[in-house]
Amino acid sequence: MRYLNLVIAVLLCISSCSKNKQTSIAPVVTPIVVNPVNATLKDMPFKFGASVNAQQLVNNQPYKALVIKEFNSLTTENALKFATVHPLEGHYDFTDATNIVNLAIANGKRMHGHTLNWYKSLPAWVTNFQGTTADWENLLKTHIQTVVGQFKGKIASWDVVNEAFEDDGSYRNSIWVQKLGTDYIARAFEYAHQADPNALLFYNDYGQEYSTAKRTAILNLVNNLKARGIPIHGIGLQMHTRYNQSDANITLAITTAAATGLLVHISELDVALNPDNNLSLTYTATLAEQQAAKYKSIVKAYYTIPKAQQYGITTWNVTDADSWISSTYNRPDWPLPFDANFQRKAAYQGILDGVK
C-alpha cells in the first residue's frame, strides 16, 4: 500500500508540474488552413482569380460552374484587347467584356481589365493609321477613356500598359513608342485615371523572374512614375513560368516589386511542364508533384509580402484544356491547377499549401 501511495504521489506531481509548465509558454499560433474537403481557392487569404474566356462562359457549362465555384477575381482574357473591343475606327464591341463583367457582378467577384495598351492584338485600322503626333495621341486617349469609361465603377482595376520592355531592359520598339515616344506610358495612366479615378492602375509584364535587366527597367519605370505623381497603383507580374525555374529568382521578383510600395498582382500565372517542347512528353506523377511544389513556392513567397500589398494571384486561363500554351507552342503541356476534365490536380493542393 505504501508503494501504491508513492506511485500515485509521483504521478500527481508529474501532472501538476506539466500543467504549470504549459501555463508558462506562449499559446500556439495555428497556421491558416484552407484545405478542408469543401475548401476552394476563394478561401485563400487573398484574392485568387483566373482570366476567363467569354465564349467558354456562354457555351461550356462545366467551365462556367468551375469559375463561379473557385475564383473571387476575374480577368478579361481577350475581351478587352484592342483588336477585340475596338475592331474598327469609331466602333467598339463590348459584348464579350460585358458578359464577363455581368457574371462577375452577379456572383460577387472582383473584375480586372486587361489590357488598355499593348503592342500586340492591334486591328488593321491602327497599324495602318496615318496621322500627326497629335492624331496618334488622340487615338490613344480616346481608346483608353472610352473603354475605361464604359466600365466605370464595374471594373476595379486595369492593366494599363502591357509588356513595354524587351528582355534586355530596353523599351520595346512598338508602334506606340514610334509614334509617341516612351513617355506615352505616363499619359496612358493619366488618361485611365481621368476616366475612372477610383480604378486601380497596374503596369503588367512577364520575365521579371528570369531577366535582371528587365526587372530593373520595370522597377525604374514605376518608381519614376510614382516620383512624378503619375497615378500608378500596382505592378503585375505575369509569372508565365516553368516547373524548373529558380525559387530564388521568383522570390526576388516578388519581393523587389513589393519594395516599391505598390500593390503586387501575380497576374497571369501558369507553370509549364514542357518548356523544351518535347512532342512525346506525357503527364506523370513526378511532373505533377514538381508542378505542385512550384505553385507552393510561388504562393509562399507571395504570402510573405505585406498583406496590404497583396492584390492577389490570377492564373492565365482556367484548365489545361483552355490554356494558351499548348496552342501557341504546338506542344503537350499541363500548366494549370485544373485538368481538361475540370478536376483538381496536385498543383491545386500546392496552392493551398503555400499559405499554411
Side-chain angles (χ1 to χ4, degrees):
M1 180 64 70
R2 288 182 61 193
Y3 178 76
L4 179 59
N5 289 338
L6 179 62
V7 170
I8 292 171
V10 170
L11 290 174
L12 288 171
C13 179
I14 291 172
S15 176
S16 176
C17 293
S18 175
K19 289 178 180 177
N20 290 337
K21 184 178 180 182
Q22 286 178 355
T23 59
S24 66
I25 63 174
V28 175
V29 176
T30 304
I32 288 178
V33 177
V34 290
N35 63 340
V37 173
N38 61 346
T40 70
L41 295 174
K42 290 191 293 189
D43 298 309
M44 293 287 280
F46 43 75
K47 295 288 189 183
F48 205 99
S51 73
V52 293
N53 182 278
Q55 297 306 311
Q56 291 268 31
L57 287 175
V58 171
N59 300 317
N60 188 333
Q61 186 57 39
Y63 177 98
K64 178 181 178 180
L66 186 67
V67 167
I68 292 172
K69 177 183 178 182
E70 291 284 351
F71 304 107
N72 51 20
S73 179
L74 302 183
T75 294
T76 53
E77 179 201 28
N78 296 319
L80 286 172
K81 291 177 179 176
F82 207 131
T84 303
V85 76
H86 196 175
L88 300 171
E89 186 171 5
H91 172 73
Y92 294 83
D93 185 350
F94 294 113
T95 305
D96 284 351
T98 298
N99 287 339
I100 297 172
V101 170
N102 286 346
L103 180 136
I105 293 171
N107 291 278
K109 302 180 188 301
R110 184 182 69 190
M111 198 67 236
H112 181 71
H114 176 85
T115 170
L116 296 172
N117 179 271
W118 192 27
Y119 74 100
K120 287 185 176 180
S121 191
L122 296 175
W125 78 266
V126 172
T127 57
N128 296 327
F129 186 77
Q130 301 294 318
T132 64
T133 300
D135 293 331
W136 275 95
E137 191 72 33
N138 183 63
L139 186 160
L140 175 71
K141 179 178 181 179
T142 301
H143 174 79
I144 289 174
Q145 296 200 329
T146 302
V147 174
V148 174
Q150 176 72 20
F151 297 101
K152 182 178 180 180
K154 296 180 178 180
I155 291 184
S157 54
W158 292 89
D159 291 328
V160 177
V161 176
N162 195 54
E163 300 176 5
F165 291 101
E166 301 281 5
D167 281 356
D168 64 3
S170 63
Y171 279 99
R172 193 181 299 278
N173 188 30
S174 67
I175 195 168
W176 307 109
V177 169
Q178 293 170 21
K179 302 297 183 181
L180 296 172
T182 59
D183 207 44
Y184 85 88
I185 295 173
R187 299 192 298 278
F189 277 88
E190 291 174 328
Y191 297 150
H193 182 68
Q194 290 165 7
D196 187 353
N198 293 320
L200 297 171
L201 308 179
F202 287 75
Y203 175 79
N204 190 57
D205 216 327
Y206 66 89
Q208 298 174 68
E209 74 279 11
Y210 66 75
S211 171
T212 300
K214 189 172 195 175
R215 182 172 63 248
T216 300
I218 292 167
L219 295 173
N220 288 341
L221 169 70
V222 300
N223 284 324
N224 175 264
L225 294 176
K226 280 183 62 182
R228 294 166 55 191
I230 302 299
I232 181 171
H233 306 104
I235 299 178
L237 290 82
Q238 291 185 13
M239 204 65 72
H240 293 295
T241 192
R242 52 185 64 189
Y243 77 97
N244 54 357
Q245 179 58 254
S246 159
D247 287 343
N249 286 353
I250 289 171
T251 299
L252 185 62
I254 294 170
T255 56
T256 54
T260 65
L262 296 172
L263 297 168
V264 179
H265 184 200
I266 296 182
S267 56
E268 302 184 23
L269 176 62
D270 45 38
V271 178
L273 291 176
N274 190 12
D276 296 324
N277 299 305
N278 178 354
L279 298 182
S280 62
L281 188 69
T282 58
Y283 185 66
T284 65
T286 298
L287 282 175
E289 289 306 316
Q290 289 174 322
Q291 184 180 58
K294 190 59 57 182
Y295 269 102
K296 178 181 177 179
S297 69
I298 293 169
V299 172
K300 187 175 182 180
Y302 184 75
Y303 194 44
T304 65
I305 69 172
K307 184 172 181 59
Q309 291 177 257
Q310 295 171 8
Y311 196 66
I313 294 179
T314 298
T315 60
W316 200 252
N317 309 121
V318 177
T319 77
D320 290 339
D322 59 287
S323 170
W324 68 285
I325 290 179
S326 293
S327 58
T328 301
Y329 295 106
N330 192 29
R331 75 189 192 209
D333 215 322
W334 310 267
L336 291 165
F338 298 95
D339 67 20
N341 295 313
F342 308 98
Q343 300 302 304
R344 298 172 177 180
K345 295 159 54 185
Y348 187 101
Q349 187 61 47
I351 292 169
L352 301 184
D353 289 346
V355 295
K356 285 185 177 180

